[in-house]
Amino acid sequence: MQSLAGHLLVASPQLLDPNFARSIVFLVEHSRDGAFGVAVNRPLRKTLQELWREVGSGTCHSQQPVYMGGPVPGPLMALHTVPELAEMEPSPGVYFAAKKQHLDQLVLAEEPAYKIFVQHAGWGAGQLESELKQGAWRTTPGSVESVFSTADDLWETVLRELGQTLLKSMLNLDDLPPDPSVN
């Protein structure tokens, strides 16, 4: 089994589970024992400043949204771009942190890209592999750009890119026109 840590799981259009419909999950860990990740495109209505008043130490002025990482309760977590505050680097330039001292420092910073998550997504041994075989998810390598995108249409964009990549591969093409209907 090849690890998919650092990859994006893109929910197929047929995946109707409300916890994951139209979700993009960044896999932080993936092994024979299971998988763990966070949904990067499910912002909540709560801002980081509001959340930090409830749980943080120190002042946070960030108005960025907090993200619903998945259906599994757990500690606050972050994906970010600051190597010295990392506990893991699942993908080049994308770091993971859950330690309180790391999160406290991240939310005070103005510059680095980061997302804070409540809850996460988790799969037991063999569960994700079964869902992949059933076609519930498409996979693609994660990148700094995709993980930290705040685009409302991220799911549609990534799914379209996956489809174009597959089509080019199947037709043995080097490139596709942006709008094939104009040919």
Side-chain angles (χ1 to χ4, degrees):
M1 177 198 82
Q2 181 179 355
S3 175
L4 292 174
H7 281 70
L8 298 175
L9 295 178
V10 183
S12 76
Q14 295 77 27
L15 182 58
L16 302 179
D17 175 342
N19 292 306
F20 293 112
R22 300 174 61 91
S23 286
I24 297 178
V25 176
F26 178 76
L27 283 179
V28 175
E29 289 185 329
H30 180 228
S31 70
R32 292 185 192 281
D33 298 327
F36 155 77
V38 289
V40 297
N41 67 327
R42 304 209 55 181
L44 297 170
R45 287 198 163 105
K46 182 173 272 198
T47 67
L48 189 50
Q49 182 181 42
E50 292 168 332
L51 175 70
W52 222 249
R53 277 190 214 126
E54 298 170 17
V55 301
S57 55
T59 305
C60 172
H61 298 290
S62 176
Q63 293 300 308
Q64 77 176 22
V66 175
Y67 287 80
M68 175 58 73
V72 181
L76 291 179
M77 293 166 253
L79 294 177
H80 60 87
T81 58
V82 184
E84 54 273 8
L85 299 178
E87 292 148 43
M88 283 189 251
E89 184 180 16
S91 179
V94 179
Y95 301 97
F96 172 83
K99 291 181 179 175
K100 185 175 180 352
Q101 64 267 29
H102 291 159
L103 297 176
D104 283 341
Q105 290 179 44
L106 274 173
V107 301
L108 293 176
E110 297 291 326
E111 261 322 289
Y114 65 88
K115 287 183 178 179
I116 302 290
F117 301 89
V118 295
Q119 304 191 169
H120 64 277
W123 293 264
Q127 186 180 5
L128 178 58
E129 291 75 14
S130 176
E131 291 180 17
L132 288 165
K133 284 179 187 171
Q134 293 170 8
W137 301 99
R138 309 290 187 262
T139 64
T140 188
S143 66
V144 171
E145 296 77 22
S146 59
V147 168
F148 297 108
S149 173
T150 57
D152 290 336
D153 65 345
L154 183 61
W155 179 79
E156 292 92 346
T157 300
V158 173
L159 199 59
R160 188 178 319 105
E161 290 170 0
L162 281 167
Q164 289 175 346
T165 300
L166 179 62
L167 185 59
K168 286 191 294 189
S169 172
M170 289 172 56
L171 298 175
N172 200 21
L173 299 173
D174 291 330
D175 203 9
L176 287 174
D179 184 1
S181 67
V182 297
N183 280 340

